[in-house]
Amino acid sequence: MSEIPDNLHYTEEHEYVRPADDAGIVVVGITDYAQGELGDVVYVDLPEVGAKFNEMEEFGSIEAVKAVSQLFCPLAGEVVEINQALEADPALINRDPYGEGWMIKLEIRSRADLDQLLTAADYAQHVGE
Amino acid sequence: MNAGALKRTPFYDLHVAASAKMVPFAGFEMPVQYASITQEHETVRTGVGVFDVSHMGEFEFSGPDRNAWVNRLTCNDIAALQEGQAQYTALLNDDGTFIDDCIVYRFDDRIMMVVNAANAEKDWQHVVAHKSGVNARVKNISDDVALLAIQGPQSEALLQSLTAVSLSQLRYYHFEVGHVAGVDCFLARTGYTGEDGFELYFRPKHAETVWQAVVGRGGAVPCGLGARDTLRLEVGYPLYGNDIDDTVNPYEARLGWIVKLDKGAPFVGRRALETIKAKGGPTRRLVGLTMEGKGAIPRHGYDVYLKDRKVDIVRSGGFSPSLQMGIGTTFLPTHSVDPGTAIQIDVRGKRVEAVVAKLPFYTKGSVKSA
C-alpha cells in the first residue's frame, strides 16, 4: 500500500498537487505509488523558472535505474521555483515524495482549477488501492 | 504465451513474503526488485546476494552419443570439457546467428544444457530437430529444477557454512555434486554478475529449505532481475533479445572465443561462420557506450547515430550504479569501434553525445575467471 494523503489533488499520470498558499501557488511532484513503481530515481530533468505549460503538457522527465518516465503538468501555469536539491540527491523522490522530493512550484490561473483534478479517493481507486 | 498463464517458480511465495515486486518475464512471474535495485546491486558488488533464476530452462542429454549430439548443436567444443566442468556456448542457426546462448555442464553420464527461459521452447524444437541418427536421449527437466544464484565476494564464505564441498578447491566454471543445507544439489562456480559466485541446482521440493538456509541463516540479500541486469551490463555480458538474437552472429557480438571451427566436428552454423571469417570478419561489432552529459540514460531501442547517420539502436542500456552514469551497447561498423569514437544517441527527440567505451565497463569484480 502506498501513501495517498487526503489533502492533495492528483492526476491519472501520478502527479500530485498541493496548494501552497491562498493565492495561486501549488507544489507539484509524483506520488508515493509512482516512485514505488519507478524504483530508484537517478536523475530528474526539470524546466527553467519562468517556463509556462498547458494542462497535461510535458514539463520534464524522470530517469530511474530501469525506466524513464515523462512528467506532465497537472494544471496550466508558470513555474516559479524548482527543487534544486533534486540535482544532487534525486533519490529524495523515493524517500519523501510528498515532502523534500517535490519537483516544481507552479503559479496557476485560479484555485478553481484544482477541482479538475482527482481527489485522494479517486486516485486510490485509479491505482487499485 | 498466454498472458493469463504465467508460471511461478518454487520460490514464488517466498518472494511475495519478502515484499518483492513481481513482474511477468519470459512467461514467469519473477521478482524484479525487493527494496531497491541499486541497493541489491551494491550488495552483490560488496557482499552477497541471492537470485532466483529457476525460470531458466534445463535439458538433460544422456546415452552413448550425447557428446557428439551436443557438439553438433553448439559452436563451442564439448570435447574440451572434463567431467565436472561447465562451458559457455551457443545454439546457432544455419546462417550462424544465435538461436540462444547457453551453458553446458558435463557429468560422467550426461550433459545438462541451461538455456534462456524465453527461448526454451524454440531451443527444444531445434535440439529435437537435430537428433536424427543419434543414439542418445534428451529430456526437458526445466520443471524439475530449482536454481539459485549466490553471487558476490562473500558468497564462498556463506556457502561454505552450508556445505561440506571444499569450495576453495572449486574453480571457475567447474561444479561438484554435494549437499547444501542437507539438500542434494550440484554447485557450480558460475554466474552472471562479474562477481565470484555459485549456482545451485536442486529439486523444487527443497526450495524453502535452501532459501531459508541461504537467506535466513546465511544472510544473503534477495536480489531481483533488475539488479541482475545492471550487474551483467556493467561487466559486458550479453543478454539474448538485446545484444544477441537471430540477426547477430558470434563474431559481431565479440563472442568469437566460443566458436571452435576446428573442433573436428561439424556443427549447425559452421559453414556460414567460415564464410564470414574468410571474407575478413564481420562488418559490425558490438561496442560499449557511455553518455557524455550527466542525466541522459541510454535505453533499449533509442536510435544511435555515427556522423549524423543512423547506424543502430541501443541494444542494452541503463544506469550503472557502480559507475553512476548511463551505459549501453550498440552495433557499429567495424571501422568505427575504437574506444573514444564519438556517437550520438537520440534521447526522446534530443541528440545526446556519447562515446564508444571499452568493455567491460566495470573491471573490479571478484569473479575467479581463469
Side-chain angles (χ1 to χ4, degrees):
Chain A
M1 287 287 280
S2 61
E3 194 192 338
I4 304 175
D6 282 338
N7 59 338
L8 305 185
H9 307 266
Y10 300 89
T11 71
E12 290 189 355
E13 305 293 336
H14 309 288
E15 287 86 14
Y16 69 81
V17 175
R18 181 176 50 231
D21 62 12
D22 292 334
I25 308 289
V26 298
V27 178
V28 175
I30 64 164
T31 65
D32 186 30
Y33 175 85
Q35 70 77 21
E37 288 297 301
L38 269 175
D40 299 324
V41 174
V42 293
Y43 182 73
V44 193
D45 187 20
L46 295 178
E48 306 277 325
V49 169
K52 293 189 173 75
F53 295 97
N54 292 318
E55 180 189 324
M56 294 319 281
E57 190 179 344
E58 184 177 337
F59 76 87
S61 62
I62 181 167
E63 296 268 10
V65 173
K66 286 301 288 180
V68 58
S69 183
Q70 294 161 292
L71 297 166
F72 296 98
C73 203
L75 296 169
E78 179 177 336
V79 177
V80 294
E81 191 179 341
I82 64 168
N83 186 355
Q84 306 276 4
L86 294 179
E87 188 170 340
D89 190 4
L92 285 171
I93 292 166
N94 296 115
R95 294 200 300 274
D96 191 10
Y98 299 115
E100 290 185 58
W102 66 277
M103 293 178 175
I104 58 173
K105 288 183 182 167
L106 197 65
E107 183 167 12
I108 58 174
R109 291 172 307 197
S110 153
R111 285 205 59 161
D113 287 353
L114 290 168
D115 297 338
Q116 304 166 21
L117 300 171
L118 302 179
T119 64
D122 295 337
Y123 181 68
Q125 191 172 22
H126 174 62
V127 299
E129 290 190 355
Chain B
M1 177 64 62
N2 179 346
L6 290 174
K7 291 163 86 173
R8 292 176 174 179
T9 78
F11 301 97
Y12 176 85
D13 291 340
L14 295 157
H15 298 319
V16 172
S19 305
K21 187 202 282 184
M22 306 299 288
V23 298
F25 181 84
F28 284 79
E29 275 185 274
M30 297 298 291
V32 65
Q33 67 173 71
Y34 297 80
S36 147
I37 293 174
T38 48
Q39 282 168 29
E40 291 161 26
H41 180 107
E42 183 66 13
T43 296
V44 173
R45 288 271 178 260
T46 58
V48 52
V50 59
F51 301 83
D52 172 15
V53 280
S54 305
H55 61 305
M56 303 289 284
E58 291 89 10
F59 305 153
E60 189 178 82
F61 297 79
S62 56
D65 294 343
R66 61 185 181 279
N67 290 336
W69 189 9
V70 173
N71 236 4
R72 183 196 296 176
L73 290 166
T74 59
C75 59
N76 209 329
D77 185 9
I78 195 85
L81 275 190
Q82 310 282 327
E83 285 167 23
Q85 251 188 309
Q87 183 182 67
Y88 180 62
T89 183
L91 302 171
L92 304 178
N93 290 299
D94 285 328
D95 65 358
T97 60
F98 287 95
I99 295 172
D100 203 358
D101 60 340
C102 57
I103 293 178
V104 291
Y105 294 85
R106 184 166 178 172
F107 293 78
D108 59 345
D109 61 347
R110 64 204 147 103
I111 292 170
M112 187 173 77
M113 178 183 286
V114 180
V115 302
N116 283 300
N119 295 332
E121 185 55 40
K122 73 168 180 178
D123 292 347
W124 177 255
Q125 301 299 337
H126 178 75
V127 164
V128 172
H130 288 83
K131 190 188 178 307
S132 69
V134 173
N135 183 11
R137 291 172 301 281
V138 65
K139 198 174 157 196
N140 187 340
I141 57 168
S142 304
D143 292 341
D144 304 319
V145 177
L147 173 52
L148 289 183
I150 298 169
Q151 301 281 301
Q154 304 300 318
S155 55
E156 181 180 318
L158 183 156
L159 195 56
Q160 193 64 81
S161 71
L162 303 171
T163 183
V165 172
S166 178
L167 297 179
S168 62
Q169 307 296 312
L170 186 59
R171 285 177 292 150
Y172 188 55
Y173 266 75
H174 285 67
F175 65 94
E176 285 262 3
V177 178
H179 295 87
V180 169
V183 170
D184 280 330
C185 74
F186 81 89
L187 307 79
R189 198 161 207 147
T190 49
Y192 195 48
T193 61
E195 300 299 330
D196 190 19
F198 300 85
E199 292 179 301
L200 307 183
Y201 296 80
F202 49 93
R203 294 272 180 195
K205 67 179 175 186
H206 300 303
E208 185 158 4
T209 304
V210 179
W211 180 270
Q212 296 300 1
V214 170
V215 176
R217 275 185 285 147
V221 175
C223 300
L225 294 176
R228 187 169 158 84
D229 191 50
T230 54
L231 288 158
R232 71 94 198 160
L233 178 55
E234 284 186 348
V235 290
Y237 293 166
L239 172 63
Y240 195 95
N242 284 23
D243 307 292
I244 58 175
D245 59 29
D246 62 6
T247 67
V248 174
N249 69 56
Y251 297 128
E252 293 172 321
R254 296 179 182 272
L255 292 173
W257 63 275
I258 67 169
V259 176
K260 303 290 158 61
L261 294 175
D262 302 326
K263 67 181 176 180
F267 60 90
V268 183
R270 185 177 77 166
R271 201 163 300 160
L273 295 179
E274 281 172 342
T275 304
I276 291 163
K277 216 169 176 187
K279 286 183 178 166
T283 56
R284 61 173 188 169
R285 271 184 209 277
L286 190 69
V287 298
L289 63 91
T290 55
M291 304 304 273
E292 291 283 80
K294 188 178 186 293
I297 297 172
R299 305 286 181 183
H300 174 71
Y302 285 4
D303 287 339
V304 176
Y305 291 83
L306 175 70
K307 297 189 178 78
D308 286 329
R309 188 168 66 88
K310 189 194 158 186
V311 284
D312 198 36
I313 55 170
V314 173
R315 298 286 169 156
S316 288
F319 182 76
S320 162
S322 300
L323 304 174
Q324 291 287 305
M325 66 194 304
I327 62 174
T329 60
T330 190
F331 284 99
L332 290 181
T334 309
H335 55 74
S336 298
V337 298
D338 290 338
T341 302
I343 54 176
Q344 293 84 38
I345 315 290
D346 187 321
V347 179
R348 300 185 304 285
K350 207 158 61 177
R351 294 272 178 94
V352 178
E353 294 296 322
V355 289
V356 175
K358 200 166 181 297
L359 289 173
F361 300 101
Y362 182 80
T363 53
K364 288 179 267 182
S366 57
V367 64
K368 303 255 189 287
S369 49

